[in-house]
Amino acid sequence: MHIDRKTFLKELSFLTGASLLSKNLSAAGLLAARPEMQLGLVTYLWGKDWDVPTIIKNCTDTKIHGVELRVEHAHQVMPELSAAARVEVKKQFADSPVQIVGLGTNQQYDYPDQAKLKASIDRTKEFIKLSADIGASGVKVKPNALHKDVPTEETLEQIGKSLRELAKYAADMGQQLRLEVHGAETQELPNIKKIMKYASHPNAKICWNCNPQDLNGAGFQSNFDLVKQYFGDTLHVRELDRTDYPYKELIANLIKMNYKGWVLLECHTNPEDKVKAMHEQRAVFDRMVV
């Protein structure tokens, strides 16, 4: 098919103009790209009884392509794994669409007993090594409590300095150290901020945990803004369609800050058909981030 010169130039002008318009709209934020954050799963209750192949299958089927493995669950991804077993776990995830995002541990650093503190720090280092060996990117830990016989500030400082040591160790292994916002009093966001100031290390991050305490004081937005600078590659949510937490506001804030990490389902219910529930949460997330 042949077109004359006048028609060719007219169509070329139209295409060039459309391209420039698209670029200008994108620059102005009018053609917003889909947010880069991704949906994943914590094997807390949904997944606690699954082995690694089952986790991979169920996550693949529900298009939930990231997982934080809770330690001491049926999958038994623990520091006691042999070198060969570590290679096999890494291979299983590498050969699938599912990324192993990290390990969720219960290690904590508030102990007044310094021997217990040292033991927890040493055990955390074992988990960090394991995480690196299986191809994950970080380890989740906890603060985890205040003690009536110890000044609050002293405990917060001890937790923070422990994180600093571990964050440095983790960085040397290409891992991120993630402090879950957890514990009856330590999960209060002003306390979390103090801990992070004591930690004072760029590889010490927080894992937002969607606690009721996030609404305390001046409310959600104030608490979110207090610590958002410390966000790491993971955060935990419950079912995203629950109405007892401002999930729409949370997602809007994540989009605004261009969060590129993992929104991990750490659901507290126990549905009979957990795969069906995962499908449902995938759909809820997709609607929220459009």
Side-chain angles (χ1 to χ4, degrees), residues 128 131-132 135-139 167-178 203 233:
I128 292 169
S131 182
S137 62
V139 170
K168 183 179 184 302
Y169 181 88
D172 291 341
M173 292 198 172
Q175 298 293 297
Q176 189 177 80
L177 188 72
R178 301 158 180 162
N203 194 44
D233 291 345

Side-chain angles (χ1 to χ4, degrees), residues 268-288:
H268 287 186
T269 57
N270 189 25
E272 184 176 347
D273 189 338
K274 295 178 177 62
V275 174
K276 178 183 177 183
M278 288 166 66
H279 272 293
E280 292 168 351
Q281 288 303 304
R282 172 81 253 181
V284 173
F285 179 79
D286 288 342
R287 290 195 300 268
M288 295 178 81

